[in-house]
Amino acid sequence: MADIKAPVFPESVADGTIVEWHVTEGQQVNRDDLLAEIETDKVVLEVVAPDNGVLTKIVKQVDDTVLSDELIAEFEAGASASADTAPAVDPDQPAAPVQAKQATDGGEPVQVTDKKNEADHKDQSPAVRKAVKESGVDPKEVEGSGRGGRVTKTDMANPTLKADSSIKSDSGRPVAESMGERTEKRVPMTRLRKTVANRLLAASQETAMLTTFNEVNMKPLMDMRAKYKDQFEKRHGVRLGFMSLFVKAATEALKRFPAVNASLDGDDIVYHGFYDIGVAVSSDRGLVVPVLRDTDRMSMADVESRIRELGGLAQKGKLGLEDMTGGTFTISNGGVFGSLMSTPILNPPQTAILGMHAINDRPMAVDGKVEILPMMYLALSYDHRMIDGKEAVQFLVTIKELVEDPAMLLLDL
């Protein structure tokens, strides 16, 4: 008999929540088969089978909070599922629930996992099945806009309910009710969303946050990209984007203004001798910030390749804790969604964050003449306790100058 334990969490993660068991008690599994998923404040961790055998007992159920290295199940290596241990399945009857919890105040079931319902949703896309798991909304109750009435991810995000439908969440509360053409949806916050909300609230309440703005002429960078993008992709195997130059420009600016690359630890100022830049990425689970390590040692091709790799992992929900811990500075690009201007919120314990925005043609005065130029607003939010206004403005102007004249980066000017 072997113990199945929760992964060892890093110091920054206190605990996790079991969000799904992929096997039942008595079920035979192979080595490295996925047993369960544990959601922490930052990522979803997978628990896999240590060997071929049978999962004999589930100790921690779905929605239970678990600590680092805590026992969650028992496993017997080398065993085979027998008639005594394997759950009997009647094809004409719904499968027994994996687990059910009882409310302490009324004894009514508040959570039931029904394998038959899971089977009914197998024909849905992975994105739809993920939305079902997170919202508790049954896709059979949603009007589908896809071919043949198929329910899509967009339908699940903003469901239009079929007539006479009333949907309950796993907690027993209605998450959506049909009221003619008017609907309401009540969805419990995910652990990640709760963590993001708490961190953003803490950042606004516990820091002296201030934002300074500037604008940058993107024409030189756009011209350079148009001229060399084909050669760049042919040589490095990755497309040339704008983010890599902003990362390199921010790295150079951080070298010149060490206070922006520092953090506060109580009454101490910690000046970091390395440059780990987080790049905010939007995923189905919410906003995540994977970190590029040692950007001062990376080429633009390295930056583009790593951003693409981390972005792919984020969309698949496969980012590891090591991919998102640390970071001395953050860049957020709301421009990809059309944002014209915003005030990004700090990512503590970092003391500054750069916000990029949409590129729009605007009339600009150049040498006494009006020219139409592709302009972008830049925003730098910073902790005024740590960074003076003069340093913040000069830091942002440095990024502006480097982006408007990319040759300065090559010439180390």
Side-chain angles (χ1 to χ4, degrees), residues 320-343:
L321 288 171
E322 66 279 1
D323 295 323
M324 294 190 291
T325 53
T328 60
F329 184 76
T330 296
I331 300 177
S332 178
N333 185 6
V336 296
F337 305 109
S339 173
L340 179 65
M341 184 181 293
S342 66
T343 56

Side-chain angles (χ1 to χ4, degrees), residues 161-341:
L161 302 182
K162 296 178 180 178
D164 302 325
S165 64
S166 180
I167 300 175
K168 302 288 184 179
S169 72
D170 289 341
S171 63
R173 300 192 308 268
V175 295
E177 294 181 353
S178 176
M179 298 174 290
E181 296 181 356
R182 293 160 59 87
T183 62
E184 279 188 350
K185 181 172 68 170
R186 184 187 299 271
V187 180
M189 292 177 68
T190 64
R191 187 184 184 96
L192 175 63
R193 176 51 56 189
K194 290 179 183 177
T195 301
V196 170
N198 291 334
R199 286 177 62 86
L200 294 180
L201 183 62
S204 63
Q205 293 178 339
E206 298 173 5
T207 63
M209 193 174 72
L210 187 64
T211 304
T212 184
F213 299 93
N214 215 313
E215 56 185 357
V216 57
N217 176 14
M218 294 293 291
K219 189 175 187 306
L221 183 56
M222 295 173 70
D223 289 345
M224 183 189 76
R225 181 176 181 271
K227 183 176 181 179
Y228 295 109
K229 65 178 182 178
D230 292 337
Q231 294 173 255
F232 186 91
E233 185 173 0
K234 183 177 179 180
R235 175 162 184 175
H236 299 291
V238 64
R239 296 180 62 184
L240 177 60
F242 296 137
M243 183 58 77
S244 57
L245 189 87
F246 274 93
V247 168
K248 295 301 291 182
T251 302
E252 179 59 33
L254 290 172
K255 292 179 181 179
R256 302 182 188 184
F257 300 93
V260 185
N261 196 49
S263 61
L264 287 175
D265 184 9
D267 294 330
D268 297 330
I269 300 175
V270 182
Y271 290 95
H272 304 293
F274 50 88
Y275 307 92
D276 291 352
I277 295 182
V279 179
V281 175
S282 178
S283 71
D284 291 339
R285 295 182 60 245
L287 186 70
V288 293
V289 187
V291 178
L292 304 173
R293 309 287 180 185
D294 298 316
T295 55
D296 56 321
R297 302 177 185 178
M298 301 175 73
S299 66
M300 291 180 64
D302 294 334
V303 172
E304 291 289 353
S305 178
R306 185 58 176 158
I307 289 176
R308 182 175 181 180
E309 179 185 355
L310 292 172
L313 292 174
Q315 295 302 326
K316 297 176 183 177
K318 299 295 184 181
L319 282 172
L321 288 171
E322 66 279 1
D323 295 323
M324 294 190 291
T325 53
T328 60
F329 184 76
T330 296
I331 300 177
S332 178
N333 185 6
V336 296
F337 305 109
S339 173
L340 179 65
M341 184 181 293

Side-chain angles (χ1 to χ4, degrees), residues 346-391:
L346 295 175
N347 185 21
Q350 298 173 22
T351 53
I353 179 173
L354 176 70
M356 299 167 55
H357 299 92
I359 302 172
N360 292 315
D361 287 343
R362 296 207 306 272
M364 304 295 294
V366 180
D367 296 329
K369 299 180 181 179
V370 176
E371 295 186 19
I372 305 298
L373 297 174
M375 303 297 294
M376 175 196 288
Y377 287 117
L378 295 179
L380 180 74
S381 293
Y382 60 99
D383 191 341
H384 211 342
R385 299 175 303 165
M386 176 72 192
I387 304 171
D388 293 332
K390 177 183 176 181
E391 286 180 303

Side-chain angles (χ1 to χ4, degrees), residues 72-138:
I72 62 173
E74 294 179 356
F75 179 84
E76 185 174 353
S80 299
S82 65
D84 295 333
T85 58
V89 178
D90 184 347
D92 297 327
Q93 297 295 329
V98 174
Q99 49 78 32
K101 291 185 179 179
Q102 302 295 323
T104 57
D105 55 351
E108 292 294 326
V110 296
Q111 180 170 347
V112 175
T113 300
D114 192 330
K115 287 298 180 183
K116 184 176 185 299
N117 286 339
E118 290 182 5
D120 291 341
H121 298 156
K122 289 298 184 183
D123 60 337
Q124 304 293 343
S125 69
V128 171
R129 293 201 299 270
K130 182 178 180 67
V132 170
K133 182 176 70 174
E134 292 181 350
S135 68
V137 176
D138 189 341

